[in-house]
Amino acid sequence: YKLELEQCSGDALCRACSAGSRMCPAYRAEPDEMNSPRARATLLRFHAAGLISEQQFNSPRFKQILDSCINCKMCSVECPSGVDVSNLIMEARAQCAIVNGVNTTCYVLARNRYLSILGNLFAPIANMLLGFELSRGLLEKLTGLDRRRPMPRFDWGRFLPKAKKWLRKQRPIAEPRGKVAYFVDTFVNFNDHATGWAVLKVLRSLGIDVILPGQKPVPLPAAVYGEAPKARHELAKTVSSLSDCVKKGYKIVCSERSAALFLKKALEFFDTSDD
């Protein structure tokens, strides 16, 4: 943590707004120094060096600065020093959450799959209600989710059971060109079955053997909003299942970019060796 903080050279490439540059979206939206990855890294370095007190670190203003990071990971791609500021921010948020806890909105989003399960069970009704201004207003009061934000529609029934049943009915591929374990994640499972079916049918049409391993949704919201213990616990279950697939020669395929990114990067942040 401290070593990576020291790697920031302060060259301000993260403040670039020219065509072709990709970081930082938060700074592009509000070009204030405090919204830049450089400023976040500097503040965290000051805290690690004892130049920022714990009271200041746990203040609402400091949390506001941490919250300006949207975890897009472009700093890890484009930073010439290779500093992954979003990972540092995740760790700092976890430290803040130990002292201050998390607010209602973060608490709800960290458990978004439970809302997805509920919406999926009552998909026609949920889709209708989410189209009403009054319903979105009530949701905003209860959870803090802005009523102006469009909410995703739900498909009826979970994709995973349907897909496993469909795969059992398919003829085995005699000489598969590859072996793939498809990691579905939350959105396809509850909201977008069409993407899941497309993935399965395309892979099988290419002569690839596809399985659907036991899986939990990636705990990206819990990790991003500071609930590190919860994220670590849930990630361990997924890693255990997917690692068994890898040992059997399967490659892991995701149709959700955030899930793929989290599975590739989260092991750098969470130690799951004890689970």
Side-chain angles (χ1 to χ4, degrees):
Y1 178 77
K2 291 183 179 180
L3 178 61
E4 187 161 9
L5 285 172
E6 293 294 337
Q7 290 177 343
C8 176
S9 62
D11 67 358
L13 184 62
C14 51
R15 288 171 49 99
C17 293
S18 57
S21 62
R22 293 176 290 179
M23 66 170 187
C24 159
Y27 178 79
R28 282 174 173 272
E30 294 187 31
D32 182 286
E33 172 65 21
M34 299 311 292
N35 290 327
S36 69
R38 178 178 69 174
R40 300 180 197 121
T42 299
L43 286 173
L44 293 177
R45 186 167 63 249
F46 284 174
H47 173 254
L51 301 177
I52 291 179
S53 68
E54 290 301 316
Q55 183 178 4
Q56 291 172 315
F57 180 76
N58 290 297
S59 68
R61 175 54 179 155
F62 204 98
K63 184 180 183 301
Q64 183 182 16
I65 294 170
L66 296 181
D67 287 347
S68 67
C69 174
I70 61 172
N71 199 47
C72 71
K73 293 287 187 181
M74 287 315 306
C75 49
S76 67
V77 176
E78 292 206 338
C79 175
S81 301
V83 181
D84 189 342
V85 178
S86 61
N87 256 16
L88 300 171
I89 293 293
M90 286 166 63
E91 184 159 341
R93 286 173 178 166
Q95 293 178 32
C96 287
I98 292 173
V99 177
N100 304 313
V102 296
N103 62 31
T104 302
T105 305
C106 292
Y107 183 89
V108 169
L109 290 176
R111 293 155 180 80
N112 67 321
R113 78 168 182 270
Y114 299 117
L115 290 178
S116 295
I117 291 171
L118 187 62
N120 179 259
L121 283 172
F122 304 98
I125 298 174
N127 292 334
M128 179 180 66
L129 290 176
L130 289 174
F132 295 147
E133 177 70 22
L134 181 61
S135 301
R136 293 200 303 272
L138 179 61
L139 187 66
E140 181 180 45
K141 287 185 178 296
L142 293 174
T143 67
L145 297 174
D146 196 307
R147 71 181 69 193
R148 296 169 296 179
R149 183 173 184 82
M151 303 301 289
R153 294 182 61 81
F154 293 97
D155 281 340
W156 203 352
R158 290 180 298 149
F159 173 77
L160 272 170
K162 295 178 182 179
K164 288 180 179 179
K165 183 178 179 180
W166 181 81
L167 282 175
R168 285 195 295 268
K169 294 180 179 179
Q170 305 307 304
R171 293 180 179 178
I173 299 174
E175 297 181 4
R177 298 172 61 185
K179 299 165 66 177
V180 159
Y182 176 30
F183 185 80
V184 173
D185 207 39
T186 305
F187 193 70
V188 166
N189 198 23
F190 297 110
N191 302 88
D192 185 16
H193 295 178
T195 295
W197 291 122
V199 170
L200 291 179
K201 292 175 181 179
V202 167
L203 289 173
R204 283 190 58 85
S205 70
L206 294 173
I208 296 174
D209 180 31
V210 186
I211 64 170
L212 293 168
Q215 52 189 267
K216 295 282 187 181
V218 291
L220 178 60
V224 168
Y225 295 123
E227 295 202 51
K230 175 179 174 59
R232 179 176 178 271
H233 178 70
E234 294 185 1
L235 178 64
K237 296 178 181 179
T238 294
V239 169
S240 176
S241 176
L242 296 183
S243 62
D244 289 340
C245 296
V246 172
K247 292 173 184 175
K248 295 175 183 177
Y250 287 88
K251 294 183 178 180
I252 311 301
V253 167
C254 302
S255 54
E256 294 190 31
R257 289 170 290 181
S258 58
L261 176 64
F262 189 81
L263 290 175
K264 290 175 66 176
K265 292 290 187 180
L267 294 180
E268 301 172 6
F269 186 71
F270 294 103
D271 177 13
T272 60
S273 58
D274 298 331
D275 292 275

